[in-house]
Amino acid sequence: MDWIMEPWPWWFSGILIGLTVPLLYLLAGKAFGISTSLQQAGAMCFPNSKLEYLRKHDRKGNLWTIVFAVGIGLGAFVATRFLSNTPVEFLPASFSSPAGSIKLLLGGFLIGFGTRYAGGCTSGHSITGIANLNWPSLVATTFFFVGGLAVTWGFGHLIFE
């Protein structure tokens, strides 16, 4: 049982994530993606919104996206809290300050806006979109990685220090 307390190989975890796509199609008839949960949360919070984007959203038909998002959070909590030999820090210390909170809030806004503006997030475009041979998903995924590389190897030290 020690294997479950160690980080799993990337290739094994990748296969499990990849299997989510056909399982979700087969079991629920749904496409894998997480960013629609943002629209769902907005539509649930503001059902009488003047924004057509929220008012005409199928809240009942997309409730599963909220359950799915909560499940991801719970799974991450269980994995880091109970299935790890070494404690995993929830947030780096640099984010435990008002300035760090503002960075997180700004980053969350940009991600939420960008995913809805692009019609999907990394999971929707990179996993489901490319699996469906969707050309815009390949372009979106390319630029997700370009942005990630630019932050990791470029100006990320300005944000994280």
Side-chain angles (χ1 to χ4, degrees):
M1 234 9 224
D2 289 340
W3 62 271
I4 203 164
M5 302 296 283
E6 300 294 327
W8 294 356
W10 61 266
W11 56 267
F12 182 70
S13 300
I15 290 171
L16 291 179
I17 292 170
L19 287 174
T20 304
V21 175
L23 283 176
L24 197 56
Y25 271 126
L26 292 172
L27 298 176
K30 306 291 183 185
F32 179 74
I34 194 67
S35 62
T36 305
S37 63
L38 296 172
Q39 184 181 15
Q40 176 69 19
M44 290 172 63
C45 291
F46 306 102
N48 298 319
S49 172
K50 292 181 180 178
L51 297 173
E52 187 176 321
Y53 176 75
L54 298 178
R55 190 180 63 248
K56 291 195 173 185
H57 181 71
D58 181 9
R59 292 188 301 275
K60 187 176 178 184
N62 289 298
L63 187 60
W64 71 273
T65 61
I66 295 293
V67 175
F68 188 69
V70 170
I72 290 172
L74 287 174
F77 177 76
V78 168
T80 57
R81 186 76 171 171
F82 303 111
L83 300 176
S84 178
N85 283 332
T86 56
V88 177
E89 189 178 34
F90 180 68
L91 282 175
S94 63
F95 290 108
S96 299
S97 66
S101 297
I102 290 171
K103 289 176 186 175
L104 287 174
L105 184 65
L106 180 63
F109 174 79
L110 290 173
I111 288 174
F113 179 81
T115 56
R116 295 317 309 155
Y117 193 69
C121 61
T122 51
S123 59
H125 279 299
S126 304
I127 299 171
T128 304
I130 291 178
N132 287 319
L133 303 177
N134 188 355
W135 177 250
S137 292
L138 179 62
V139 173
T141 300
T142 299
F143 284 98
F144 293 153
F145 278 97
V146 167
L149 289 170
V151 169
T152 301
W153 299 103
F155 56 89
H157 70 281
L158 299 173
I159 300 170
F160 298 112
E161 291 179 6

